[in-house]
């Protein structure tokens, strides 16, 4: 079965750039979606299909996907970006959605 | 405003049943694939079930297959999750979520991406809590 691997935590100072990785076998053959979940809240879609940003999501959020790693990049990080971030792909062979384990972003 | 509101959660003993409902407003679920996703306390997101816009294509996570059944109440514009033979491991917040695009959205070439026509989930409910104990 397809597995997505994320680092448990990433820390960054305000104003700096955060990069959150999502590893998977040949992940660049799949469309990757990213969700932000703040404590006690429902997930929010921040990037779809590797690089697309839904309406209302700041341009500071961007995505990329190459080889075995997809990456969510947040530039000019703010305190309000502190949250858990999850990557997601569709596993066609298993007919199922797969989420990564999540990465807790801490703003120092 | 597009909105999803889950209900039906509660405390149930192992082996018991619960019926969750997800009421949609601002759009017709008959035009969208819908999913259930759960989150156990302190854990990450786990996909539970997929229901195509017509309800004709349904998928389940292996962990719930044979115990959970997803259906649609089009008259109430609601998605339903019938959960039977509940286990302690089913304890979680259960979210419903809608696809980003309707079934008839013309998307264009697939960019050679698997899952290109399985859309991201752009609207989520606040969730309903199920405790099996």
């Amino acid at each position: 079965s397809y597995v997505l691997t994320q680092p448990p935590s990433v820390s960054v100072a305000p104003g700096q750039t955060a990069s959150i990785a999502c590893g998977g076998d040949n992940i660049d053959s799949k469309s990757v979606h990213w969700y932000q979940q703040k404590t006690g809240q429902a997930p929010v879609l921040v990037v779809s299909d590797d690089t697309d940003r839904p309406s209302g999501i700041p341009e500071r959020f961007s995505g990329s996907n190459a080889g075995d790693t997809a990456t969510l990049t947040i530039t000019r990080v703010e305190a309000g970006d502190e949250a858990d971030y999850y990557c997601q792909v569709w596993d066609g062979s298993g007919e199922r959605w797969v989420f990564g384990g999540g990465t807790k972003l801490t703003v120092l | 405003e597009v909105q999803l509101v889950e209900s039906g959660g509660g405390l149930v003993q192992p082996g018991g049943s619960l019926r969750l409902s997800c009421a949609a407003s601002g759009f017709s679920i008959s035009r969208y694939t819908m999913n259930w996703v759960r989150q156990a306390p302190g854990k990450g997101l786990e996909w539970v079930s997929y229901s195509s816009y017509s309800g004709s294509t349904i998928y389940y996570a292996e962990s719930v297959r044979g115990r959970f059944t997803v259906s649609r109440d089009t008259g109430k514009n609601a998605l339903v999750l019938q959960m039977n033979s509940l286990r302690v491991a089913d304890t979680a917040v259960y979210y419903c979520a809608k696809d980003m695009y309707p079934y008839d959205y013309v998307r264009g070439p697939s960019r050679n991406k698997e899952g290109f026509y399985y859309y991201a989930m752009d609207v989520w409910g606040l969730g309903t809590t199920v405790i099996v104990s």
Side-chain angles (χ1 to χ4, degrees), chain B residues 48-126:
Chain B
V48 173
S49 74
Y50 165 112
S51 170
S52 66
Y53 71 95
S54 64
S56 61
T57 300
I58 291 175
Y59 303 121
Y60 297 101
E62 190 173 348
S63 59
V64 307
R65 193 174 298 134
R67 300 186 299 122
F68 290 11
T69 302
V70 64
S71 61
R72 292 166 175 256
D73 186 336
T74 52
K76 295 183 178 179
N77 203 32
L79 185 72
V80 175
L81 186 67
Q82 178 67 42
M83 304 188 298
N84 298 330
S85 303
L86 282 162
R87 305 167 179 169
V88 172
D90 295 319
T91 294
V93 175
Y94 284 73
Y95 298 100
C96 65
K98 69 172 277 290
D99 256 20
M100 193 169 185
Y101 302 114
Y103 76 95
D104 55 357
Y105 181 77
V106 179
R107 191 136 202 233
S110 70
R111 309 179 192 173
N112 289 323
K113 294 280 194 176
E114 180 189 27
F116 188 72
Y117 298 108
Y118 289 82
Y119 305 139
M121 303 172 193
D122 71 330
V123 176
W124 296 61
L126 295 180

Side-chain angles (χ1 to χ4, degrees), chain A residues 33-36 43-49 54 88-90 96-99, chain B residues 4 33-38 45-51 95-101 118-125:
Chain A
H33 314 304
W34 290 92
Y35 300 87
Q36 174 196 68
V44 172
L45 178 68
V46 293
V47 169
S48 65
D49 298 297
Q88 178 201 35
V89 300
W90 175 257
R96 63 187 187 124
W97 281 109
V98 177
F99 285 98
Chain B
L4 297 169
T33 288
M34 301 288 293
N35 286 272
W36 286 99
V37 177
R38 69 184 181 183
L45 301 176
E46 179 190 15
W47 168 76
V48 173
S49 74
Y50 165 112
S51 170
Y95 298 100
C96 65
K98 69 172 277 290
D99 256 20
M100 193 169 185
Y101 302 114
Y118 289 82
Y119 305 139
M121 303 172 193
D122 71 330
V123 176
W124 296 61

